[in-house]
Amino acid sequence: MAPTDAPENLLAEWAGLLLRSLADAGVTDVVVSPGSRSTPFLLAAAACPGLSLHDAIDERAAAFFALGQARWTGRPSLLLCTSGSAAAHYLPAVIEAGAAYTPMLILSADRPYELQDCAAPQTIDQTRLFGDHARGFFDLGMPDGATLALLALRRRAAQAVFLATYPSPGAVHLNARARKPLEPRADASDAGQRLGQRAEEIARGPIARPLRPRLVPDAGDIAEVARICAGSSGLIVCGPAPASQGALRLREDILGLALATGYPLLCEAASQLRLMPPGARITRCDAFDLLLRSPAFRDRLRACGPGTILQLGAPPTSSGWETFLAERPGWSRVVVSPHGWNDPQSDATTLLFCEIGEAVRALLGALSGSPPPPSALSRLLGAADERVFGLIDEVLARDGGLSEAQAVHDVVAAVPRGSLLILGNSLPIREVDAFCRHGLAEATVLCQRGANGIDGLIAGAAGAASAAGRPTTLLIGDISFLHDLSGLGLCRGVQGPLLVVALQNHGGRIFEQLPLGQASGLDPTVLRHFTTPHDLTLEPAARLFGHRFARAETRQELRAALAAAHSAPGHTVTIIEAVVPPQSAREDQRYLVSCIDREAPRCIDREAPTRRGGIS
């Protein structure tokens, strides 16, 4: 149909059918950034009763807001933007969505074909803009009023939502072209009225409902893994996991598997298995990162003989764990995960691709008999864990100013039961793993461990809080805070309460803990280009967006600020700047590792007495 022959309401009906179809396929939230070319699609979204709209000035922050929503809901939110470079700002979040297997939908408005490659304003080639980082791309072309074209538009909406969630969750990009006039026009002509009736009939009809199959492990494969687990001592290791892994049944099944195998459980805070109420009486080793940073303790671990590592999901964040595996200890490693090849060391012996819950329940069914007696490995890790946390208690009890370890511990201890705790990358997530053991709090932990960047952490927390509707705490560093100031604007629409705690150590202090920061002879002025120290305070940013603010320089001030923030009424956003010495995290962790390293060669068992200052 030529443009001059098109019914006057073609664009409005086309956009309306698309947005209604996306809603019928399961989309509930649309994150909108302003622009002209997206006018018909924004009007259609606003008119659709099943959609909630969230305004975001900055497309980069908008994308991380949508990502945060999806981390909680498990379904894609829709990002809507205008033509030109607007959609390009979504790229960092698209990369994270793909790496973290988190669903996302993008609808970018585009100029018509006749304006391409002719210097028309705000016009670029948006075809496959995100390359291989997107799970799929649909160029919807120009609006078409033919019945089959309308049916195909509705079908493509269903396809896009399904592809964003299965078989490999990630971002799916829809590109929709629109020719002026962009504003709605009345269907005054007979052709326009017929088109409106046809589009309404199609919208009221059924939409394709793709049924997602279950990833069920093969019985023979389960029997093989069960034989491996029953024939040796070993470990269960859990890295960052989605919120769904905190479901009561799955959590209890994983604890049950640890009990049935006799394997100690090494789980990070973001695994959903650390910050939980006490469960089955199993051996835990929450201090495994600190322990494995010690060469002497790694020697003690190898002395227990090679065993089996059962890795559930993504690999741990822990640098100590990475070092242990890099030394090729000769252990067999079984990796269970529904998505991706989770083996950065390239030495896994078996990979089982299925839902973790399905695999764990099948293994429980295959393992028979009474739980085995504690192995030497289990006794070693259980005793070492108790002793390390005894040392940590001493570190936390030190007088003086507020240390980073104390700040992290107190923030986690204060989170309301059943709330969301979101951990920033670089130091915060590692420090929670180091200083916070199970039983300290009960919370669902979200993180951004796909690509491990600091992009959009505040915006992502706002998105998660908006979807969860429960108290939310975000713990990040000062550089991450400064990197996402526009995310503070998105916090204003959250029902809350939302608390952002920024660890103010005046720079990216993780670089001081990397080999670069420990290199002898390194010019300190060169290291500054990595740590980027600054003299900025965070209060003006909080005030700019109308958020409550508190600055804490002592442990008492921090605890008082946390109590006030958690008792604040709904939709209250509080920013706490926790001021800590720049090197306190490095010094505390070096002290703990040195204690472990000094005492680890001694025989460790559960009957050995605990001695202050080290492991005995």
Side-chain angles (χ1 to χ4, degrees):
M1 182 179 292
T4 55
D5 298 330
E8 63 279 1
N9 59 336
L10 175 58
L11 179 54
E13 294 294 347
W14 177 263
L17 179 60
L18 173 60
L19 269 296
R20 288 179 64 176
S21 299
L22 289 170
D24 290 343
V27 174
T28 60
D29 292 272
V30 184
V31 188
V32 180
S33 296
S36 174
R37 191 61 51 165
S38 54
T39 295
F41 307 104
L42 173 54
L43 294 176
C48 184
L51 297 176
S52 297
L53 273 60
H54 310 267
D55 297 321
I57 296 172
D58 174 11
E59 285 87 0
R60 185 174 74 94
F64 281 99
F65 182 91
L67 194 66
Q69 289 186 317
R71 288 192 195 281
W72 175 258
T73 65
R75 61 175 179 268
S77 294
L78 176 68
L79 290 158
L80 175 59
C81 70
T82 189
S83 63
S85 62
H89 293 277
Y90 293 152
L91 179 59
V94 169
I95 292 172
E96 174 65 22
Y101 300 97
T102 305
M104 173 185 287
L105 276 176
I106 295 166
L107 175 57
S108 59
D110 201 355
R111 305 279 170 131
Y113 293 110
E114 64 267 21
L115 295 182
Q116 298 290 327
D117 302 316
C118 61
Q122 209 167 329
T123 305
I124 66 170
D125 183 2
Q126 297 176 198
T127 304
R128 301 190 182 278
L129 182 63
F130 305 109
D132 292 338
H133 294 296
R135 298 292 191 246
F137 172 75
F138 295 83
D139 192 339
L140 302 179
M142 296 300 298
D144 188 335
T147 299
L148 186 57
L150 296 175
L151 287 168
L153 181 66
R154 189 159 168 82
R155 181 254 302 163
R156 282 188 159 188
Q159 284 180 294
V161 174
F162 182 66
L163 186 57
T165 57
Y166 187 85
S168 182
V172 172
H173 179 198
L174 296 160
N175 194 55
R177 301 177 186 273
R179 182 181 288 119
K180 290 184 177 180
L182 303 171
E183 296 72 28
R185 302 174 67 189
D187 50 349
S189 66
D190 291 342
Q193 292 177 5
R194 288 194 297 271
L195 173 61
Q197 293 171 356
R198 189 160 59 248
E200 180 65 23
E201 290 174 0
I202 291 173
R204 289 185 175 182
I207 191 169
R209 188 168 66 94
L211 303 177
R212 176 174 173 173
R214 290 168 54 199
L215 285 175
V216 180
D218 178 79
D221 294 339
I222 289 295
E224 177 185 349
V225 174
R227 283 194 298 271
I228 295 172
C229 293
S232 66
S233 62
L235 309 166
I236 295 177
V237 179
C238 302
S244 58
Q245 188 154 298
L248 182 60
R249 181 185 177 189
L250 177 54
R251 198 164 59 187
E252 289 182 346
D253 286 342
I254 294 175
L255 296 178
L257 183 62
L259 185 64
T261 56
Y263 286 9
L265 182 62
L266 282 57
C267 57
E268 295 187 332
S271 69
Q272 316 305 335
L273 297 167
R274 173 82 72 89
L275 300 184
M276 54 175 285
R281 300 186 64 181
I282 60 172
T283 299
R284 286 178 174 268
C285 186
D286 293 343
F288 71 94
D289 177 55
L290 288 170
L291 286 164
L292 293 177
R293 291 192 215 174
S294 161
F297 187 81
R298 294 197 300 274
D299 289 342
R300 287 288 295 113
L301 194 61
R302 280 190 290 270
C304 292
T308 299
I309 298 167
L310 185 58
Q311 176 185 316
L312 302 181
T317 303
S318 162
S319 61
W321 178 256
E322 184 179 0
T323 301
F324 172 65
L325 291 184
E327 293 174 347
R328 298 294 188 267
W331 294 46
S332 62
R333 185 154 54 91
V334 179
V335 178
V336 182
S337 179
H339 308 297
W341 194 281
N342 289 280
D343 180 27
Q345 291 78 23
S346 301
D347 63 355
T349 52
T350 305
L351 291 98
L352 189 59
F353 293 98
C354 65
E355 296 293 342
I356 291 175
E358 297 283 353
V360 170
R361 285 188 287 275
L363 280 171
L364 282 171
L367 292 167
S368 59
S370 302
S375 64
L377 174 65
S378 180
R379 292 194 301 272
L380 169 68
L381 290 174
D385 189 65
E386 291 297 327
R387 284 154 173 74
V388 170
F389 275 101
L391 291 171
I392 289 173
D393 287 342
E394 294 178 8
V395 168
L396 295 174
R398 288 173 180 166
D399 295 329
L402 179 66
S403 73
E404 198 152 336
Q406 291 170 332
V408 167
H409 179 275
D410 288 356
V411 168
V412 174
V415 298
R417 181 179 180 184
S419 64
L420 284 185
L421 173 63
I422 303 175
L423 301 178
N425 284 327
S426 295
L427 280 181
I429 191 169
R430 291 171 170 86
E431 290 177 314
V432 171
D433 284 333
F435 298 113
C436 302
R437 71 186 311 186
H438 69 277
L440 180 64
E442 182 181 347
T444 298
V445 181
L446 302 184
C447 64
Q448 196 163 282
R449 296 305 292 175
N452 299 348
I454 64 170
D455 316 55
L457 290 168
I458 298 175
S466 74
R470 59 179 64 189
T472 301
T473 300
L474 169 65
L475 177 64
I476 56 174
D478 54 324
I479 298 298
S480 297
F481 184 94
L482 295 171
H483 197 278
D484 192 28
L485 291 178
S486 62
L488 293 172
L490 286 166
C491 294
R492 300 178 68 182
V494 174
Q495 294 302 307
L498 172 61
L499 169 61
V500 179
V501 181
L503 299 171
Q504 175 61 282
N505 53 22
H506 295 282
R509 298 300 166 183
I510 191 171
F511 293 102
E512 295 172 337
Q513 299 193 27
L514 299 178
L516 171 74
Q518 302 170 30
S520 60
L522 180 68
D523 186 345
T525 61
V526 174
L527 187 60
R528 288 172 60 88
H529 294 295
F530 294 89
T531 59
T532 57
H534 59 88
D535 58 358
L536 301 174
T537 59
L538 309 184
E539 182 174 4
R543 300 301 185 198
L544 174 64
F545 292 98
H547 302 323
R548 295 175 54 178
F549 177 83
R551 179 180 172 91
E553 298 185 15
T554 68
R555 199 171 189 185
Q556 292 73 23
E557 290 175 348
L558 176 60
R559 288 176 169 177
L562 291 169
H566 289 308
S567 62
H571 66 265
T572 299
V573 180
T574 304
I575 312 297
I576 297 178
E577 182 178 10
V579 182
V580 297
Q583 282 81 36
S584 69
R586 179 183 66 179
E587 292 171 355
D588 284 341
Q589 295 194 42
R590 280 184 176 178
Y591 165 74
L592 291 168
V593 172
S594 68
C595 290
I596 296 168
D597 210 33
R598 182 173 65 249
E599 300 293 339
R602 297 171 62 93
C603 179
I604 299 174
D605 57 42
R606 289 196 177 276
E607 288 71 39
T610 301
R611 188 176 66 191
R612 290 175 60 86
I615 299 174
S616 58

